[in-house]
Amino acid sequence: MSNVDQFNNDLRGFLDASPTPFHAVETMRLRLDNAGFISLNERGEWQLEAGKGYYVIRNGSSIVAFRCGNTPVRESGWRMVGAHTDSPNLKVKPAPELHRQGYFQLGVEVYGGALLNPWFDRDLGLAGRVNYENTDGDLCSVLINLNRPVGIVPSLAIHLDREANNSRSVNPQKDLPVVLLQSDEPKNFRDLLTQVLSQQGASDVATVLDYELSFYDCQPSAMVGWNEDFIASARLDNLLSCYIGLDALLAADVSQHSVLVCNDHEEVGSQSAVGAQGPMLESVLRRITGDEVSWQRAIANSMMISADNAHGIHPNFSDKHDGNHGPLLNAGPVIKNNVNQRYATNSETSSIFRRLCASQGVAVQCFVVRSDMACGSTIGPLTASAIGVKTLDIGVPTFAMHSIRELAGSHDAFNLSKVLAAFYQLESVSTGN
């Protein structure tokens, strides 16, 4: 098996094991533990040692992992990679029960900017976090994953909507409640969750208090195409970058101070205690440096690469791209540019990245949105403005971004991991200014 094949097999395992941000962070935690990284409790004292790796988790859905280098961080700064753990999905409402025509359904909210039509007629699993009070009166939290089809959103037959192929739109309130089962008796969703917890071994559940649960596509990730040129999966945006960043961090040597931050809530604006507009990353880094002068010197010697998927040029819709900026799948990572600072890239950070790609024999592409279209954004500008670090926005080119199933090239993730591993080992990010 080639290095690329092994990488993609491990990547697919990570994607399939991570239906929610909670599961993604848990999967990353296990890999970090196996690599000798040490979990830090923010409530306690930290005793950090050069050459060792550590990580901090907040809310179970955001993580900062870092290695302590061999030189004072104020002199060398950090090499940072950022990504996000969340993806658009359908989240179960707090009071979701719907009983209609003998069917028991769950009402859902749309999380993020999801493409809604692909959610119809899919085998849907359910996963997330459940909080409950146990029989001793303690508050407990547990992750669940019903890794089987437990729900579906059936389409309306074309015979009942003859204009479906011409003008069908989706009303999230009316059209997306998920069919769970048939029953003439009213059901309570929390009672069903109590049964699930009992089946998973939690026999001490007194009351299910609340939950954060999402439906997801049960179809596993796959290598697709005549020559297996592509990876198809849910949540490529942006678990693909989380995995690439983690793989690069674990592959890099321990001489440099290196950081991987994977934030939750990017798809809804990042304004949360654990989002990129929150204080998590800055508070961890400040705690590492200690005093204010060391913090300012460290940031001045640092660089952040924000890794989030880029729009590959679609052969059926090529007019949606600027003619000179149409990234191809399997043609290298994409530098993302926007003069209005929707991306944090500047000529200095992009030049550093181009040199890194050249050093690894990896081609590089660039993306600029059409001048008559709005541009999305990433955690890059948010992090850059929050802590003042020079930043670059890049990503793997992707089709069907924000669909229930996305598509990326089978070589791009592996190549970007090599570049990011080289970045983590870069001695200086100074260009003489």
Side-chain angles (χ1 to χ4, degrees):
M1 183 179 293
S2 71
N3 291 337
V4 177
D5 290 337
Q6 182 62 56
F7 180 95
N8 285 333
N9 280 346
D10 291 343
L11 167 61
R12 289 172 54 205
F14 172 73
L15 293 167
D16 293 342
S18 307
T20 73
F22 304 114
H23 291 83
V25 168
E26 175 64 11
T27 305
M28 296 173 75
R29 182 190 68 79
L30 293 174
R31 290 202 67 191
L32 289 165
D33 287 344
N34 290 336
F37 279 64
I38 300 167
S39 175
L40 296 174
N41 188 333
E42 293 185 89
R43 298 185 184 94
E45 296 291 330
W46 292 1
Q47 300 295 329
L48 306 179
E49 298 180 31
K52 290 191 175 181
Y54 304 88
Y55 64 88
V56 176
I57 293 173
R58 285 191 187 178
N59 188 48
S61 62
S62 292
I63 185 169
V64 178
F66 61 94
R67 289 189 191 273
C68 293
N70 296 327
T71 58
V73 70
R74 63 181 178 272
E75 297 176 4
S76 59
W78 292 283
R79 310 295 170 262
M80 294 185 277
V81 173
H84 64 87
T85 58
D86 59 323
S87 304
N89 65 81
L90 304 183
K91 287 186 177 291
V92 182
K93 291 182 176 181
E97 295 89 352
L98 297 171
H99 304 89
R100 301 186 296 194
Q101 309 302 319
Y103 298 97
F104 176 59
Q105 297 174 270
L106 296 182
V108 294
E109 287 186 279
V110 179
Y111 178 89
L115 272 174
L116 295 180
N117 279 297
W119 281 84
F120 288 86
D121 307 316
R122 296 277 185 164
D123 299 340
L124 300 179
L126 187 66
R129 180 169 67 182
V130 178
N131 295 87
Y132 66 92
E133 183 181 357
N134 69 12
T135 51
D136 293 328
D138 300 321
L139 183 63
C140 303
S141 179
V142 65
L143 299 187
I144 67 169
N145 181 9
L146 304 183
N147 194 16
R148 63 182 181 87
V150 296
I152 193 166
V153 184
S155 291
L156 180 65
I158 196 168
H159 312 77
L160 304 178
D161 182 5
R162 294 292 182 179
E163 295 300 311
N165 290 330
N166 298 322
S167 59
R168 176 179 287 180
S169 59
V170 178
N171 183 313
Q173 176 70 17
K174 295 174 56 180
D175 301 340
L176 292 183
V178 178
V179 176
L180 218 62
L181 55 87
Q182 279 188 298
S183 176
D184 293 326
E185 299 294 328
K187 299 289 183 181
N188 183 289
F189 182 55
R190 283 172 171 77
D191 291 341
L192 296 181
L193 289 179
T194 301
Q195 297 174 20
V196 170
L197 296 177
S198 178
Q199 293 166 1
Q200 292 192 356
S203 58
D204 61 343
V205 179
T207 305
V208 171
L209 298 171
D210 240 320
Y211 52 80
E212 295 166 80
L213 296 172
S214 300
F215 284 102
Y216 69 93
D217 187 4
C218 283
Q219 184 178 4
S221 59
M223 307 302 298
V224 303
W226 193 272
N227 297 317
E228 296 192 341
D229 290 328
F230 314 110
I231 298 175
S233 177
R235 302 175 298 282
L236 290 180
D237 177 21
N238 190 29
L239 293 187
L240 187 67
S241 299
C242 293
Y243 179 85
I244 295 169
L246 180 61
D247 184 77
L249 180 67
L250 298 180
D253 66 35
V254 298
S255 61
Q256 297 297 326
H257 294 273
S258 48
V259 177
L260 172 66
V261 54
C262 297
N263 292 111
D264 195 2
H265 301 144
E266 190 274 346
E267 298 291 359
V268 291
S270 295
Q271 288 186 312
S272 73
V274 297
Q277 279 197 284
M280 182 178 182
L281 176 62
E282 181 177 352
S283 64
V284 171
L285 298 183
R286 282 187 178 274
R287 192 161 178 176
I288 295 171
T289 54
D291 63 89
E292 180 65 22
V293 172
S294 294
W295 159 255
Q296 292 183 15
R297 291 180 62 188
I299 286 296
N301 286 310
S302 299
M303 178 172 163
M304 158 73 80
I305 293 181
S306 166
D308 202 347
N309 300 43
H311 294 292
I313 185 167
H314 195 304
N316 297 343
F317 303 95
S318 58
D319 61 337
K320 295 297 184 180
H321 281 257
D322 181 281
N324 292 337
H325 302 91
L328 299 173
L329 273 59
N330 287 318
V334 179
I335 297 173
K336 300 159 76 171
N337 299 271
N338 183 261
V339 296
N340 295 307
Q341 294 300 296
R342 299 294 288 171
Y343 303 130
T345 302
N346 60 36
S347 60
E348 179 185 18
T349 56
S350 63
S351 296
I352 292 171
F353 187 73
R354 288 182 185 276
R355 283 165 57 93
L356 282 169
C357 289
S359 73
Q360 301 303 307
V362 174
V364 64
Q365 307 179 84
C366 61
F367 172 78
V368 177
V369 74
R370 281 178 57 114
S371 298
D372 55 359
M373 294 177 65
C375 183
S377 192
T378 71
I379 68 168
L382 302 178
T383 304
S385 60
I387 64 176
V389 65
K390 67 175 68 174
T391 303
L392 169 77
D393 270 296
I394 56 96
V396 168
T398 309
F399 289 157
M401 197 182 298
H402 287 199
S403 177
I404 196 171
R405 193 166 180 84
E406 300 162 322
L407 195 74
S410 58
H411 287 80
D412 284 328
F414 175 76
N415 286 331
L416 180 54
S417 180
K418 291 194 301 181
V419 177
L420 293 185
F423 169 69
Y424 275 135
Q425 296 164 195
L426 197 60
E427 290 187 6
S428 174
V429 293
S430 173
T431 57
N433 298 324

